[in-house]
Amino acid sequence: MRRTLPLVSLAALLAPLPVAAEDFGVMVDRMRAEQSAALFGFAAPLAASAPETAEDFRTPDQTAGAQVLLAEGLTATYLTREIANKADMMSLFPAEEPTHLIVCIEGDREEIAAGKLNPSLQSVALDSGAVKTLVRGMQGCDGIRATPWGTILATEEEDDGGAYEIFDPLALENVVISDRATGEASDPRVVRRMALPTMAWEGLTITPEGVVIGGDELRPGTANADADGGAIFKFVPDTAATGGPVTDPAASPFAAGMTYAMQVSCRDNKMQAGQGCEIGNAGWIAIDPLIARADADAKGATGYYRPEDLHADPAYAGEGIRFCWANTGNEDAGNFAEVLCATDLTPMDIPVVDAEGKIAFTTEVNRFVEGDREANSFDNLAFQPGTGLLYVVEDHPNGDIWACLPDGADRDIKSDGCARMLSVADTSAEPTGFMFSDDGAMAWVNIQHSDDGQMPMVDDYATDDLLIITGFKPTGQ
């Protein structure tokens, strides 16, 4: 039997084939990049990371602009090329009308010349770039903040890392910590604070009362296959700061207090902690600060994948404090890092334990930024003043810096997306210590641990470059 084909009109035959709709996710990325000036305060983001470079990329005649790729509209200049090798996190000082950056040097404690230990803490003058070594003899100085009462808290990223309060820091020069275990130093203005946890310090925040919140930079499975990662700790002073400067070490809020570790629960009405309970309700369990890591693990504190930098959100206007931290993860394992944020409603209150041993849920933890194959290995963080933007810094060769939007009015509780702002040109280096000026229009960043085969030493030690990034136009979101 003959099959009759349906009639098709000539117009239908000649009509163009339908064009496939643009992938929705790609469209969102494109729209975000097109609106970069309004959203991020720079004209256009970087499309890709810097390419690999040969060894000894860093040279004496190199311009600052050759050190980094920058988003359109931004410019790099040097503040100094003589900051010590492995310069890491920084703090403006004094907090009001700052004149200097105080910089942690993450190098191991070593004798670099006869009777001379490596630099641990340095100051850099904002007007001239002049560098001075304040303290020697720490092991891996990393986390650092100016306190509300006019001192500096500098900490060590080491398994037995200590926290040192520095009084009148700009007046110091070449103070030597001779015994890390006791904190013995050649100047009484450098004081190890034993009431704060002993751990691998990285990021931290300090409230006006003197509460310190920080993470232990520990990878899960380090001690054994099922060992927890690093916990988040909180120090609560016995006596809160009341405002004004503190010059007597005995009068500092850091002189005495209690240390707690955060424990996240997966239940709404009772404590149920353990693997898989990384976000949700949380309370704080008391631990011994001298054995902070072991005690936190024994008492069921929540572990994370190498908690690193941590900052309070200056735009948060609710009850208590909102703080965010980076979990570095491992990009080679497909663990692409994340930024988590927590709201602690009662940072100064000592947690209440009821008759059944249940701790009070005073804190809530959730994910804010999730990494991917382009954005990963998160390390440093910086909130840009006045904008709500969170800048996220990568810890790997040719590391990038990403600007991440705050959460908008949409249904989710995460950043509304990130754009690449900077990429380090030198494959042997990474960006560290990124931070903004108080007006958010300028930033500083260290280009850490470059191959220095062509560079002269300063004070018997290799050097890094400290860059100034200008051209930001704060969005005022």
Side-chain angles (χ1 to χ4, degrees), residues 167 193 246-253 255:
F167 292 79
R193 291 305 187 184
V246 173
T247 57
D248 178 5
S252 168

Side-chain angles (χ1 to χ4, degrees), residues 74 384-385 387 436-443 468-474:
L74 302 180
Q384 186 180 26
T387 69
F436 280 98
S437 57
D438 290 339
D439 61 5
M442 180 173 67
I468 304 169
I469 311 296
T470 54
F472 296 98
K473 295 178 173 57

